Amino acid sequence: MNVKKEEISKVVKKAVDDVQIIDLHTHIFDLRFKDLLLWGIDDLLTYHYLIAEVMRFYDMPYDEFWKMTKTEQSNLIWKTLFIENSPVSEATRGVITVLKSVGLDPSKRDLEGYRRFFASKTVEEYVDLVFKTAHIKYAVMTNDPFVEDERKVWLKGGKPDPRFKSALRIDPLLVKWPNSYLKLKEWGYDVEEKLTEKTFAQIKRFLADWIDKMNPVYMAASLPPEFKTPSDNETALIIENAIIPVSYEKNVPFAMMIGAKKLSNPQLKLAGDSVGKADINTVEYLARMYPHNKFLLTMLSRENQHELVVAARKFRNIHVFGCWWFLNNPSVVDEITRERMEMLGVSFTPQHSDARVLDQLIYKWNHSKKVIADVLTDKYTDIANDGWALTEEEIKRDVEKLFGGEFEAFLKRKF
Ligand code: HDL
Ligand code: ZN
């Protein structure tokens, strides 16, 4: 490594270590939501990624696993993925990163001792510990008004924790309309299954009501690989006739998370979703047809990544974020972050954690920051070697943009 690179690497590492992170997509909850917030070793070990991985080592019927208690599942995962086989996958490695980061000794392999540590913590203490350890300024939740346990918390109200912001998640509205229109009727919205002007107006009222209630940073939906607009299917019609107008009127961006193939293996339940290449023409159509709307975009297929970056170059109302789900592995995060930076500079958000278990904020960010810092160091070294004199302040400025500053700037823009 030449001298310049070592010096630059030190400055980049410090800036990335110190930056207060905006985590713009997670599945964690503030304390109003009580048991919906998952945390601690047994929730870490029974993360659906590890359930998919552990089942690969057994021929037991899936139901035999599902009948186990959480502790039994956790014990099986620990034995299989950590003791009988080395924890070299990203999700198993993540558990070790968490144990070490909260002051436990992974070399002890003492699952019962780890359980005693987490049992000694209150959830309030642990939220503080995790946010401090992971340097999280705030995390954006995933808030679905169609989930009864969540809905009742929103209806009750209560003081939000400023470290948790909301995102209005509307998958059921878009991909399960034949069911969700009945829920809207029950809640007092005069909709019918047929998508008439009146029904669109009532869907817009529903969205506006929930935006007023949640004050979301954005509206979001996970959309399948076959998602297409323009189209006369319900998903496309509701997006163009309800989501997009409300998104503009309320200045609440629409986050499209495209490429998730739901329940490819239904026997794995939440762990059963897969991935498919989606149609970038749909993304470009929406950005082109609605230039005053703001779209957050993440796509699940590695094969969509390069064309998504090109689309973002063409449409400034697209903000690309995260290496989502099956892409959140160091080898892929490195490739995607490099191609994004090479075509977008710092006008994107390289990562979100997608944490489902509070503790995962620690490992998902620890692992991603290492990769992002390496990419930045290489890019800075390239220009420094050609005479571009960088200052520490400029590196700090760029890092703050990449870890949420540019996202917040995008939210403020009016196209
Ligand atoms: O739809 C989503 O937000 C996905 O992130 C799913 O929740 C998925 O199960 C997941 O947790 N991916 O990391
Ligand atoms: Zn998610």
Side-chain angles (χ1 to χ4, degrees), residues 222-283:
S222 166
L223 296 161
E226 61 275 10
F227 166 57
K228 276 203 180 23
T229 56
S231 155
D232 57 4
N233 73 34
E234 289 145 0
T235 305
L237 290 173
I238 295 172
I239 285 175
E240 290 206 70
N241 293 281
I243 310 294
I244 285 183
V246 171
S247 174
Y248 177 72
E249 285 147 31
K250 292 281 191 177
N251 190 26
V252 172
F254 180 37
M256 294 190 284
M257 306 169 71
I258 311 174
K261 208 187 295 173
K262 302 306 275 182
L263 296 178
S264 181
N265 178 357
Q267 298 197 79
L268 275 174
K269 299 184 179 178
L270 186 59
D273 297 343
S274 171
V275 57
K277 186 173 185 301
D279 176 7
I280 198 69
N281 295 307
T282 286
V283 171

Side-chain angles (χ1 to χ4, degrees), residues 25 27 142 169 257 324 354:
H25 172 58
H27 296 271
T142 294
R169 186 66 180 254
M257 306 169 71
W324 182 28
D354 222 339

Side-chain angles (χ1 to χ4, degrees), residues 297-359:
L297 248 302
T298 200
M299 296 179 87
L300 189 52
S301 166
R302 181 178 169 220
E303 288 66 28
N304 276 129
Q305 298 308 314
H306 188 265
E307 55 192 7
L308 174 58
V309 183
V310 174
R313 272 173 74 90
K314 301 306 136 196
F315 298 99
R316 62 185 182 176
N317 56 333
I318 293 176
H319 185 81
V320 175
F321 74 95
C323 298
W324 182 28
W325 200 341
F326 305 114
L327 303 173
N328 190 4
N329 299 310
S331 59
V332 184
V333 174
D334 184 85
E335 172 191 283
I336 294 176
T337 305
R338 285 181 194 273
E339 67 190 358
R340 285 172 176 176
M341 200 166 284
E342 287 157 1
M343 283 201 269
L344 303 176
V346 295
S347 68
F348 71 104
T349 299
Q351 191 55 297
H352 65 272
S353 72
D354 222 339
R356 271 183 177 276
V357 182
L358 178 70
D359 327 42

Side-chain angles (χ1 to χ4, degrees), residues 1 3 26 64 109 123 135 144 189 202 204 211 247 260 266 275 283 287 309-310 315 339 351 383-384 398 414:
M1 189 199 279
V3 172
T26 76
E64 196 178 311
R109 304 186 180 189
V123 63
H135 291 252
D144 183 341
Y189 299 94
Q202 290 297 300
K204 287 195 279 187
I211 286 171
S247 174
V275 57
V283 171
V309 183
V310 174
F315 298 99
E339 67 190 358
Q351 191 55 297
I383 55 179
D398 297 344
K414 278 221 163 281

